[in-house]
């Protein structure tokens, strides 16, 4: 397991942008972002592997971009054209395992979350 520290959340209006960061204390094979809105289940947003394989969930494609700095063990989520339905607590997750999917049960390291609020 590694320690994960998220930053970059905040409050914006519809159409605004935010950039989330997640710094890891060590090597991971796969890092991902999940989010949870009030009263809803946690959902996977995007992941990126050490080899650079990426996947974004359909609802954010064309608006969000995931990237990483391998030297700094840091992952980023650039969020543009934000919508009220993007509001939630965004969690960074990581695993050294070989399987990388947007399934929360695959990840053994979690950050504490950073709040994203998009107002209409």
């Amino acid at each position: 397991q590694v320690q994960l520290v998220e930053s970059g959340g905040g409050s914006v209006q519809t159409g605004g942008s935010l950039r989330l960061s997640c710094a890891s204390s060590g090597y991971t094979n796969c890092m991902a972002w999940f989010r949870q809105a009030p009263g809803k289940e946690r959902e996977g947003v995007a992941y990126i592997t050490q080899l650079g394989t990426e996947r974004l969930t359909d609802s954010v494609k064309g608006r969000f971009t995931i990237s990483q700095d391998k030297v700094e063990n840091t992952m980023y989520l650039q969020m543009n054209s934000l919508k009220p339905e993007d509001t939630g607590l965004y969690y960074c997750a990581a695993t050294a395992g070989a399987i990388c999917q947007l399934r929360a049960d695959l990840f053994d390291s979690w950050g504490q979350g950073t709040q994203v609020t998009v107002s209409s």
Side-chain angles (χ1 to χ4, degrees):
Q1 290 186 340
V2 295
Q3 302 298 315
L4 301 173
V5 179
E6 303 115 329
S7 61
S11 297
V12 296
Q13 292 187 329
T14 298
S17 298
L18 287 171
R19 189 192 194 205
L20 305 183
S21 300
C22 174
S24 172
S25 62
Y27 170 84
T28 61
N29 178 56
C30 174
M31 295 183 76
W33 291 100
F34 288 79
R35 66 186 180 187
Q36 189 165 19
K40 294 188 177 181
E41 293 187 354
R42 190 173 298 190
E43 67 165 336
V45 177
Y47 73 68
I48 188 166
T49 71
Q50 272 290 319
L51 293 179
T53 301
E54 305 171 10
R55 185 194 167 194
L56 289 89
T57 195
D58 287 347
S59 62
V60 307
K61 287 180 180 177
R63 300 188 297 122
F64 291 12
T65 304
I66 190 168
S67 61
Q68 64 182 339
D69 182 332
K70 296 182 193 179
V71 174
E72 298 294 330
N73 287 328
T74 300
M75 172 182 64
Y76 304 97
L77 186 69
Q78 178 66 43
M79 305 186 293
N80 298 327
S81 302
L82 282 161
K83 304 176 181 180
E85 50 263 44
D86 295 317
T87 293
L89 192 59
Y90 282 67
Y91 295 92
C92 172
T95 179
I99 299 174
C100 191
Q101 297 178 15
L102 289 178
R103 283 173 38 192
D105 63 311
L106 294 177
F107 295 86
D108 55 9
S109 298
W110 290 84
Q112 293 193 334
T114 184
Q115 180 68 36
V116 171
T117 303
V118 186
S119 58
S120 58

